[in-house]
Amino acid sequence: KKVADRYLKREILGEGTYGVVFKAIDTKSGQTVAIKKIRLGKQKEGVNFTALREIKLLKELKDPHVIELIDAFPHKGNLHLVFEFMETDLEAVIRDRNIFLSPADIKSYIQMTLKGLAFCHKKYVLHRDMKPNNLLIGPNGQLKLADFGLARLFGSPDRRFTHQVFARWYRAPELLFGAKQYGPGVDVWAAACIFAELLLRRPFLQGNSDIDQLGKIFAAFGTPKPSQWADMVYLPDYVEYQYVPGQPLKTLFPTATEDALDLLSKMFSYDPKARISAQQALEHRYFSSGPLPTEPALLPRPP
Ligand code: ADP
């Protein structure tokens, strides 16, 4: 069955945050694509102009480490977003017990993640929903960020769908304190959580509620002191927490090198203003010192 005269529908790939995702063939290019059908819940009038203008901006967001939005169109009251098709994702790599990730492999995956982030942040686009299953991996081992800008366009998904609780594990402390204004730092924090997950091979901070998430963060790094993060007291949901000491990063990540720990500590900075940017992170000595990042084509991937 054809959609919009151009795409040949194939099997369903899965149910995502915003609706069902299916595989399709683009008859124009012969390319395999993934089409996200987005339910337009409340807006009965269909896709509004603001959304369409923003989608147009997302289509211009072209980078080797960002999933390309090939096309977007309304069809039978649903918005359809057409993306390049990707083989697997970083979550599958992390979970696969048969895959050994060397320090060079981890460096390569996190470098590609930061490259995609730095590009989008330069264009003033935030991701806001970074997690390992949003980092897709192509046939040549290239990692690309998926769903860029969608969280802002279609609303933060985690309140609407219960299976989205995992996104909580990647939330920055300013979001957990209810910040309404936030910046690229939220994506850097999430990238740090993914970096940590690559090192540990399990999610690093697994909170089971927003309060518990802050508790997990504080148990790892210690309660933030006003000297570390002066502005936290002005955040809407700020409450004073009982003091807990942090743990040395070396204890939390025994396998990481000094360079890796130094970068990680800067990405996990409490104060979003003091947090390292994606671009600065790429310039950190971790990426120039040995072992150098693995060539994407040589990275281990699930069968
Ligand atoms: P979520 O919102 O839970 O992250 P998604 O909406 O991104 O889920 O995706 C739902 C399903 O579709 C997942 O199983 C994912 O692997 C698959 N999928 C999403 N985008 C692509 C893509 N570009 N190529 C191949 N599969 C994809």
Side-chain angles (χ1 to χ4, degrees), residues 12-23 33-36 67 83-89 129 131 133-134 136 146-147 157 163-164:
I12 288 182
L13 291 167
E15 176 82 16
T17 313
Y18 307 101
V20 67
V21 181
F22 55 88
K23 194 171 176 172
V33 294
I35 302 187
K36 267 188 195 193
I67 284 277
F83 296 96
E84 53 183 315
F85 180 81
M86 301 289 274
E87 316 260 294
T88 185
D89 60 58
D129 194 24
K131 51 192 174 180
N133 74 334
N134 269 339
L136 304 185
D147 289 353
H163 75 264
Q164 270 297 313

Side-chain angles (χ1 to χ4, degrees), residues 76-102:
K76 292 184 182 167
N78 292 308
L79 180 62
H80 289 64
L81 300 181
V82 183
F83 296 96
E84 53 183 315
F85 180 81
M86 301 289 274
E87 316 260 294
T88 185
D89 60 58
L90 195 63
E91 187 179 32
V93 171
I94 293 172
R95 302 284 172 270
D96 191 328
R97 289 293 133 206
N98 296 317
I99 291 179
F100 172 76
L101 292 175
S102 72

Side-chain angles (χ1 to χ4, degrees), residues 4-299:
D5 262 7
R6 175 172 167 183
Y7 304 99
L8 271 170
K9 233 169 157 170
R10 290 280 182 267
E11 74 270 21
I12 288 182
L13 291 167
E15 176 82 16
T17 313
Y18 307 101
V20 67
V21 181
F22 55 88
K23 194 171 176 172
I25 311 293
D26 182 354
T27 56
K28 195 170 148 189
S29 63
Q31 198 186 171
T32 305
V33 294
I35 302 187
K36 267 188 195 193
K37 199 164 125 184
I38 297 187
R39 305 186 211 94
L40 292 168
K42 284 184 192 72
Q43 302 126 288
K44 279 278 182 331
E45 319 81 56
V47 195
N48 64 49
F49 284 106
T50 317
L52 287 175
R53 193 161 53 227
E54 296 229 7
I55 285 165
K56 212 171 159 210
L57 290 176
L58 294 181
K59 272 165 109 175
E60 318 276 291
L61 219 54
K62 282 190 195 171
D63 182 80
H65 299 291
V66 176
I67 284 277
E68 188 183 343
L69 175 56
I70 298 166
D71 193 9
F73 56 89
H75 182 73
K76 292 184 182 167
N78 292 308
L79 180 62
H80 289 64
L81 300 181
V82 183
F83 296 96
E84 53 183 315
F85 180 81
M86 301 289 274
E87 316 260 294
T88 185
D89 60 58
L90 195 63
E91 187 179 32
V93 171
I94 293 172
R95 302 284 172 270
D96 191 328
R97 289 293 133 206
N98 296 317
I99 291 179
F100 172 76
L101 292 175
S102 72
D105 297 341
I106 292 173
K107 196 175 287 190
S108 181
Y109 278 127
I110 209 69
Q111 185 181 48
M112 293 191 282
T113 304
L114 288 168
K115 280 181 177 176
L117 269 189
F119 170 80
C120 292
H121 290 170
K122 202 171 73 189
K123 307 267 184 192
Y124 303 103
V125 179
L126 304 187
H127 191 290
R128 301 205 332 176
D129 194 24
M130 293 270 294
K131 51 192 174 180
N133 74 334
N134 269 339
L135 306 182
L136 304 185
I137 298 171
N140 50 4
Q142 289 284 338
L143 177 147
K144 299 182 184 219
L145 312 200
D147 289 353
F148 238 103
L150 293 192
R152 197 174 92 77
L153 254 180
F154 304 110
S156 209
D158 30 336
R159 272 179 281 276
R160 302 188 306 158
F161 289 93
T162 40
H163 75 264
Q164 270 297 313
V165 289
F166 304 113
R168 178 188 303 121
W169 300 340
Y170 307 91
R171 304 203 102 194
E174 63 270 28
L175 294 175
L176 295 162
F177 274 142
K180 302 280 185 290
Q181 282 161 312
Y182 49 82
V186 300
D187 290 338
V188 173
W189 180 278
C193 295
I194 294 165
F195 192 176
E197 192 164 332
L198 282 164
L199 292 165
L200 299 173
R201 296 299 289 270
R202 60 171 166 77
F204 174 41
L205 303 162
Q206 304 184 46
N208 43 47
S209 68
D210 284 5
I211 296 290
D212 186 49
Q213 188 64 35
L214 274 171
K216 292 285 186 329
I217 295 173
F218 298 163
F221 305 120
T223 32
K225 301 180 195 72
S227 61
Q228 278 175 295
W229 186 9
D231 297 334
M232 71 177 162
V233 297
Y234 305 114
L235 293 173
D237 303 335
Y238 171 76
V239 278
E240 206 171 307
Y241 275 75
Q242 193 186 5
Y243 171 81
V244 287
Q247 300 188 59
L249 275 188
K250 188 75 210 165
T251 317
L252 295 168
F253 306 102
T255 61
T257 61
E258 287 304 317
D259 287 342
L261 293 178
D262 187 78
L263 174 57
L264 207 49
S265 72
K266 289 172 169 140
M267 294 173 75
F268 274 131
S269 165
Y270 271 128
D271 186 347
K273 284 196 193 125
R275 203 171 295 151
I276 196 169
S277 71
Q279 184 55 47
Q280 289 167 335
L282 286 168
E283 291 158 17
H284 190 277
R285 65 170 184 278
Y286 167 66
F287 292 110
S288 48
S289 65
L292 292 180
T294 307
E295 286 287 332
L298 303 178
L299 283 168

